[in-house]
Amino acid sequence: MNALFKSIASLTLLAGLITQPVRAQLSLPEPSPPTTIRQKIGFTDLTIDYSRPAVKGRTIFGGLVPYGKIWRTGASDATILTLTDPVTLAGKPLAAGSYSLFTIPNRADWTVILNKHVGGHGLDGYDEKNDVMRFTVKADSSARFYESFTIEIQDLVRNQATIYLNWANTSVHFPIVSNADERITAEIMDRINVKKEDKPGLYYQAALYYFDQEKDTKQALSWATKSVELKPAFNYLHLQAKLLARAGDYKGAIAAAQKSAQAAQQEKFTEYVTINNRLIAEWEKKL
């Protein structure tokens, strides 16, 4: 019996030793955690899914990430950009859809690659024949040290922004421009020229958009003048004044600004009074 009990005890101990490694496994954070960033640019929704490896004291570019070789631009699965509308990326047209992002880092510049294959892990499935575009951007030293690889969307102005790729002390960036201008311009032309909406607010908004975007000053001035004819509000007159100045008619600009200042004074918008008077002083020097 003693021998039997000893055998059973030995088997129990052996089973415990066999299963111990399984029970000893821990739940640990991912070394390169995935993340998603979303940003609306103009009317376009941009989503970027990527993973974020860390420096961990290593030399990154020219070391862990060799110069001159294609890089997954992140970790784990390929980095994916998804766009709901056509855009212009680094000056090149790009259709709506999803694309994998790869790069070829070099010391002075990087090649940025967008590819149609979006189901790969790292470089798996990458084929140059599926490249949608390639372009080269300058490599800069970042103002701060990025322990984790970081993609940022910054410099948002109306229908455009800048995409930054940052890791360690290196940063590259390139512009993205949505198709908002095409859509807004098409709506303006449709409502004014086709639907014939004779509304002062519409003429003012159209002129203001053209002024801000520095599009066709003559056309913008025509709309601003029409808005003033229908409703001589101080802000409408102010815009007309600035467009007259942009067109080189400083005498007309001063007259419009004076009317704007008077109307603003009556409605107690002192900020517009100050701005108009400052512009009048500037334009008088140009006569």
Side-chain angles (χ1 to χ4, degrees):
M1 291 295 290
N2 288 337
L4 178 60
F5 284 131
K6 288 181 179 179
S7 297
I8 293 173
S10 298
L11 290 172
T12 301
L13 177 61
L14 180 61
L17 291 172
I18 292 173
T19 58
Q20 185 177 357
V22 176
R23 290 202 305 267
Q25 288 183 354
L26 300 175
S27 297
L28 299 173
E30 295 186 47
S32 302
T35 191
T36 299
I37 56 175
R38 294 181 175 88
Q39 180 63 59
K40 183 175 285 292
I41 304 170
F43 300 119
T44 301
D45 291 314
L46 168 63
T47 303
I48 305 178
D49 297 288
Y50 74 107
S51 293
R52 305 185 63 188
V55 174
K56 299 178 182 177
R58 301 172 292 185
T59 298
I60 300 301
F61 299 109
L64 178 67
V65 180
Y67 287 132
K69 293 186 178 181
I70 191 167
W71 177 43
R72 69 178 72 185
T73 316
S76 304
D77 293 338
T79 294
I80 305 298
L81 275 69
T82 301
L83 300 151
T84 57
D85 297 292
V87 299
T88 300
L89 195 67
K92 297 175 179 288
L94 180 65
S98 294
Y99 305 93
S100 51
L101 171 68
F102 301 96
T103 52
I104 302 176
N106 285 294
R107 191 178 301 277
D109 54 44
W110 287 25
T111 298
V112 179
I113 305 166
L114 289 186
N115 189 276
K116 290 187 293 185
H117 180 70
V118 295
H121 177 82
L123 296 175
D124 292 346
Y126 171 79
D127 191 324
E128 187 174 343
K129 70 181 181 183
N130 292 320
D131 286 353
V132 175
M133 68 166 60
R134 287 188 174 212
F135 56 88
T136 302
V137 293
K138 180 184 176 183
D140 294 316
S141 295
S142 62
R144 53 159 287 193
F145 179 83
Y146 288 83
E147 172 63 29
S148 299
F149 174 60
T150 302
I151 299 179
E152 296 177 326
I153 303 171
Q154 301 290 354
D155 311 326
L156 284 156
V157 180
R158 289 186 177 272
N159 64 330
Q160 63 186 38
T162 305
I163 297 176
Y164 288 83
L165 309 179
N166 308 303
W167 201 13
N169 291 115
T170 298
S171 178
V172 301
H173 63 273
F174 45 90
I176 179 171
V177 181
S178 78
N179 68 341
D181 180 65
E182 297 173 20
R183 292 172 61 174
I184 294 170
T185 302
E187 181 182 354
I188 289 171
M189 296 304 178
D190 178 64
R191 293 181 64 181
I192 291 179
N193 297 332
V194 179
K195 294 185 172 67
K196 305 294 184 181
E197 296 183 28
D198 199 30
K199 300 176 181 178
L202 174 60
Y203 288 118
Y204 170 73
Q205 288 184 320
L208 181 61
Y209 179 75
Y210 267 45
F211 176 81
D212 288 341
Q213 298 297 313
E214 299 183 0
K215 293 165 62 76
D216 196 342
T217 298
K218 184 178 179 180
Q219 177 64 82
L221 178 56
S222 173
W223 288 330
T225 301
K226 184 68 175 178
S227 72
V228 168
E229 290 172 356
L230 294 172
K231 183 180 178 180
F234 67 85
N235 53 329
Y236 295 5
L237 285 159
H238 179 73
L239 177 60
Q240 182 190 37
K242 291 193 292 185
L243 282 163
L244 284 164
R246 182 175 288 181
D249 183 1
Y250 295 108
K251 185 176 180 179
I254 291 169
Q258 288 171 338
K259 291 178 183 179
S260 176
Q262 292 169 3
Q265 185 69 55
Q266 291 175 359
E267 296 189 40
K268 296 182 171 53
F269 279 87
T270 56
E271 181 181 357
Y272 265 89
V273 176
T274 301
I275 294 172
N276 277 301
N277 287 337
R278 188 187 72 242
L279 290 174
I280 290 169
E282 292 178 7
W283 295 334
E284 285 177 340
K285 296 176 183 178
K286 298 179 183 293
L287 292 177

